[in-house]
Amino acid sequence: MPGFDLNALLDQARQVQEEMQKAQERLAQKTVTGTSGGGMVIVTANGKGEIQKVQIDKQAVDPRDVPMLEDLVLAAVNSALKAAQEAAAAEVLGGAIEDVRDLGEE
């Protein structure tokens, strides 16, 4: 049984860390959207879950029904954040699959 190679383990850990950094950079560049009210409210976020933009159709703005608009904005924000989480999960899963493929080639 060969001995434990600490340097190889450290190299592998460094590679994983570099891949995670690259994944985070790719996520920051991704754009996702969430909508509600049939597109009356659109929220754009990046892959890190940071809200970038909120668009509200004029038809959604009724001063007599502010709670409805609040609900539409909340639903669109939650939809965008869910899309960002899914993008992050896909990015991490994609990286993990690449790592497994790389291990098979060694």
Side-chain angles (χ1 to χ4, degrees):
M1 181 171 143
F4 180 74
D5 188 351
L6 182 59
N7 287 330
L9 181 62
L10 291 174
D11 285 341
Q12 189 175 19
R14 224 179 335 270
Q15 288 174 351
V16 169
Q17 187 176 22
E18 288 172 6
E19 286 301 316
M20 288 301 292
Q21 180 65 33
K22 289 177 186 175
Q24 289 174 347
E25 291 169 4
R26 287 189 301 267
L27 279 172
Q29 299 302 313
K30 286 187 186 257
T31 300
V32 295
T33 59
T35 64
S36 67
M40 292 176 68
V41 176
I42 302 171
V43 174
T44 303
N46 65 20
K48 292 173 26 178
E50 299 168 337
I51 303 300
Q52 304 293 308
K53 185 177 184 181
V54 176
Q55 297 168 270
I56 301 174
D57 187 293
K58 291 178 184 172
Q59 293 178 353
V61 181
D62 181 354
R64 298 167 302 196
D65 196 3
V66 172
M68 186 233 5
L69 179 56
E70 292 170 343
D71 288 344
L72 289 174
V73 171
L74 182 62
V77 167
N78 285 333
S79 176
L81 293 178
K82 181 178 181 210
Q85 290 170 344
E86 290 170 353
E91 190 69 41
V92 170
L93 181 59
I97 290 171
E98 292 283 322
D99 289 345
V100 169
R101 285 187 189 141
D102 291 345
L103 287 174
E105 294 173 3
E106 291 178 359

